[in-house]
Amino acid sequence: MFGNYLIGLREGLEASLVVCILVAYLVKTERRDALRPVWIGIGIACAISLAFGAALEFGSQELTFEAQELLGGTLSIIAVGLVTWMVFWMRRTARHLKADLHGKLDAALQMGTGALVATALLAVGREGLETALFVWASVRASGEGTSAPLIGVLLGIATAIVLGYLFYRGALRINLAKFFTWTGGMLVIVAAGVLAYGVHDLQEARFLGGLADKAFDVSATIPPDSWYGTLLKGIFNFQPDPTVLQVVVWSLYLIPTMALFLAPHGPRKPKADSTAPAES
């Protein structure tokens, strides 16, 4: 559940910050007339994201077992790729997100209402689609058979909305660069588990071989239905009896990705540039 909460918090906070920056800038520049198209774009983005998530969940139920596993494994790998790109993108741009969005909004204001709707839709929609895909893949990988993963995601999104509102009101300021570094590192670990489970899905779909080749089996030591087994499954997508291919793919993804993510990436910026906006 914690892993899914982290996904909801991280992705939701990115979307909340985007909304916060757009709205705060329009209010500060006395362009409240432009708020309506911005909110329309945000609403459309949310609707598209929800529809995409529903299509993934209910559409896959009509498929055969092999087709479900093939779809699940493929989308899990795509989700890991998107989230990995997002983590590195936010690592580079967290300090400059505010200025980048201001520039796009200035251009949209000159182009008219349609451009404002499109700017808000694209800015929030990207986060929403990534969230829907990765949440679906992560919930599928957790395999808990309960509503706990979904509850974790919703709690994370709710927390992100509250934090976004506090940012907007100027009641809270955090170092976004550090926040996204810590949460990004944890998401890389979660993504490694999702990737390994995606490989397992492809093996069950008979797209990849090696399903019977177990790397190890610690089910007797860490029973999947125990509280600690469930905890490891919920946080890290831990599997007590992974295949050799799963372990190889997990290692080849996690070790170099984490090393690149934690490596220094240029000169430090003034602290004031890396905090959340507080205009109102």
Side-chain angles (χ1 to χ4, degrees):
M1 183 172 175
F2 174 77
N4 294 288
Y5 174 83
L6 176 64
I7 295 169
L9 175 62
R10 165 76 186 227
E11 299 290 322
L13 186 58
E14 286 187 32
S16 295
L17 287 175
V18 169
V19 173
C20 172
I21 292 170
L22 293 176
V23 173
Y25 184 66
L26 291 175
V27 171
K28 186 175 181 180
T29 56
E30 299 182 354
R31 290 300 308 271
R32 293 178 181 271
D33 58 300
L35 286 174
R36 187 170 182 271
V38 166
W39 283 115
I40 291 175
I42 292 170
I44 295 174
C46 292
I48 292 175
S49 300
L50 290 173
F52 180 58
L56 289 174
E57 176 61 24
F58 297 109
S60 62
Q61 295 178 3
E62 304 299 324
L63 303 174
T64 64
F65 173 77
E66 288 79 8
Q68 286 184 13
E69 298 303 297
L70 181 60
L71 176 65
T74 302
L75 291 181
S76 293
I77 294 172
I78 293 174
V80 169
L82 289 174
V83 168
T84 303
W85 173 84
M86 175 272 298
V87 165
F88 279 91
W89 177 82
M90 183 55 70
R91 178 176 179 264
R92 294 193 309 269
T93 62
R95 295 181 173 90
H96 314 294
L97 180 64
K98 179 179 174 182
D100 291 344
L101 285 174
H102 283 181
K104 293 179 181 178
L105 196 54
D106 283 335
L109 285 169
Q110 296 177 1
M111 297 174 65
T113 302
L116 286 171
V117 173
T119 298
L121 191 157
L122 293 174
V124 177
R126 181 180 64 83
E127 305 295 342
L129 292 175
E130 284 180 358
T131 302
L133 179 57
F134 194 62
V135 164
W136 181 83
S138 180
V139 170
R140 178 182 172 83
S142 67
E144 296 181 16
T146 68
S147 58
L150 181 58
I151 292 175
V153 172
L154 294 177
L155 287 175
I157 293 175
T159 303
I161 292 174
V162 172
L163 290 176
Y165 177 76
L166 293 176
F167 291 151
Y168 176 74
R169 301 304 304 176
L172 181 66
R173 294 179 68 86
I174 63 173
N175 188 307
L176 292 182
K178 290 184 178 179
F179 174 84
F180 285 121
T181 296
W182 281 100
T183 57
M186 288 187 285
L187 265 187
V188 168
I189 297 175
V190 173
V194 172
L195 179 61
Y197 193 85
V199 169
H200 184 265
D201 278 348
L202 294 179
Q203 290 178 308
E204 290 195 323
R206 303 181 187 278
F207 183 80
L208 296 175
L211 183 61
D213 300 328
K214 302 296 183 181
F216 55 82
D217 189 346
V218 294
S219 301
T221 305
I222 308 177
D225 56 350
S226 64
W227 69 267
Y228 46 91
T230 302
L231 183 64
L232 290 173
K233 181 73 171 179
I235 297 177
F236 303 113
N237 290 311
F238 173 77
Q239 184 178 339
D241 57 343
T243 64
V244 173
L245 183 58
Q246 281 183 277
V247 173
V248 169
V249 170
W250 183 87
S251 302
L252 290 177
Y253 169 82
L254 180 63
I255 295 174
T257 302
M258 187 65 78
L260 287 173
F261 181 75
L262 297 178
H265 59 292
R268 294 177 58 88
K269 300 290 183 180
K271 185 176 292 186
D273 291 338
S274 58
T275 52
E279 295 95 331
S280 60

